[in-house]
């Protein structure tokens, strides 16, 4: 079941909680992509019992166990192998087996996480991050795309008679994104990388499409980007980068709060069925956030101050849990 109440979220409190824990120790069609990955892990306890009972055949049991190991909502399990304990590896599904090891290949729909807000219809740049220069190029590209996103949003809100405060905050956010894009582009160029210009299909103007897009790109991706930027502000290796990410973190936190305030305004303009669909989409993006953050962290040079993969996933899990609680979303 998903929320039926109007969401009200104070993002700064959630971001502070996530960062305090750290210190102690985007559906929207354009935010999705198909991915295939190999997963491997141990399944035991209630998860193993459920997998054993969920399937009528060993293949179905293995698929259920694969979904546990993946921790993602899988579209299709292509290959799957389950191995029992050392003394009886061939019979993983026998009664009394306490734990099994599962190796599987599966496809899933990834809601991509980026450090900014993509506009509707954004076309992903084809850059593999293999160096600090690549990372700056990708993120300068995304920050530039976010300029378009906020300008389109300001224009759309104006046409809908939205409160001047919301429109003004979108215009201010666009100006912030220009500064972010300029700063990261300068770093990319200094490191010898080229920054591809953003490309996007025209936006869809109906309120449901805008609400879907904002619920994922703004309320999840951009909001968590604020948390990651704060981590970078504290952990990037150079003083220059720490200063830059300190400014970006403060801006992105405002943008994330803007997304949630916009979400509440849009919520009142949706039908109950649309509200449910938007909530489901947002819950899915939050579910995928830890895995996406882990992959993004693995591809980010450590000197830029990102948390390591496991750490990024834990931060994302906590962030998602807090947001679910605040917004009344089901896990
Ligand atoms: Fe930004
Ligand atoms: Fe932003």
């Amino acid at each position: 079941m998903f929320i039926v109440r109007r969401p009200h979220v104070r993002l700064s409190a959630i971001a502070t909680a996530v960062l305090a824990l750290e210190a102690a120790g985007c559906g929207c069609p354009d935010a999705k992509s198909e991915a295939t990955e190999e997963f491997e892990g141990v399944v035991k306890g209630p998860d193993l019992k459920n997998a054993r009972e969920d399937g009528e055949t060993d293949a179905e049991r293995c698929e259920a166990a694969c979904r546990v190991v993946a921790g993602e909502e899988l579209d299709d399990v292509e290959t799957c192998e389950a191995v029992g304990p050392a003394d009886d590896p061939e019979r993983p599904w026998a009664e009394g087996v306490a734990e099994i090891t599962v190796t599987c290949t599966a496809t899933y729909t990834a809601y991509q996480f980026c450090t900014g807000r993509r506009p509707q219809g954004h076309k992903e740049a084809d850059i593999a991050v293999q160096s600090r220069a690549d990372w700056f190029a990708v993120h300068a590209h995304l920050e530039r795309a976010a300029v378009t996103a906020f300008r389109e949003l300001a224009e759309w809100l104006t046409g809908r008679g939205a409160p001047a405060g919301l429109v003004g905050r979108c215009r201010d956010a666009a100006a912030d994104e220009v500064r972010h894009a300029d700063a990261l582009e300068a770093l990319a160029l200094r490191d010898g990388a080229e920054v591809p210009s953003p490309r996007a299909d025209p936006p869809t103007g109906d309120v449901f499409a805008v609400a879907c897009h904002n619920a994922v790109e703004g309320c999840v991706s951009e909001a968590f980007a604020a948390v990651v930027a704060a981590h970078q502000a504290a952990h990037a290796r150079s003083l220059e980068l720490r200063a830059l990410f300190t400014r970006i973190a403060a801006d992105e936190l405002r943008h994330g709060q803007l997304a949630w305030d916009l979400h509440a305004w849009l919520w009142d303009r949706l039908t109950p069925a649309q509200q449910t669909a938007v909530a489901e989409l947002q819950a899915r993006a939050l579910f995928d956030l830890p895995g996406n953050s882990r992959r993004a962290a693995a591809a980010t040079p450590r000197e830029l101050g990102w948390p390591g993969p496991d750490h990024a996933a834990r931060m994302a899990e906590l962030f998602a849990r807090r947001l679910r609680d605040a917004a009344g979303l089901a896990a």
Side-chain angles (χ1 to χ4, degrees), residues 71 74 113 130 143 194 200 208 210 219 231 287 298:
L74 301 175
F113 163 70
Q130 292 173 330
E143 295 282 10
E194 286 184 19
F208 178 58
V210 173
C219 296
H231 192 280
F287 180 83

Side-chain angles (χ1 to χ4, degrees), residues 207-224:
V207 66
F208 178 58
V210 173
C212 282
H213 182 260
N214 180 66
V216 173
E217 282 296 314
C219 296
V220 177
S221 288
E222 192 164 33
F224 188 61

Side-chain angles (χ1 to χ4, degrees), residues 115-117 142-143 146 173 176-177 180-181 222 248 251-252 255:
T115 55
R117 171 191 282 258
L142 291 170
E143 295 282 10
D176 294 337
E177 303 294 15
H180 301 173
E222 192 164 33
I248 289 179
D251 293 344
E252 297 301 347
H255 302 175

Side-chain angles (χ1 to χ4, degrees), residues 67-132:
R67 293 179 190 281
V68 172
V69 169
E72 310 253 5
E73 201 165 310
L74 301 175
D75 296 330
D76 194 27
V77 177
E78 295 180 342
T79 65
C80 192
E81 184 184 7
V83 177
D87 58 349
D88 195 5
E90 306 270 302
R91 299 196 315 133
W93 305 111
E95 284 296 332
V97 169
E99 75 175 43
I100 63 171
T101 301
V102 173
T103 307
C104 55
T105 307
T107 58
Y108 60 94
T109 306
Y111 287 82
Q112 296 165 2
F113 163 70
C114 79
T115 55
R117 171 191 282 258
R118 297 175 181 82
Q120 283 190 57
H122 175 75
K123 297 183 185 301
E124 295 300 325
D126 186 18
I127 305 178
V129 175
Q130 292 173 330
S131 68
R132 163 190 150 114

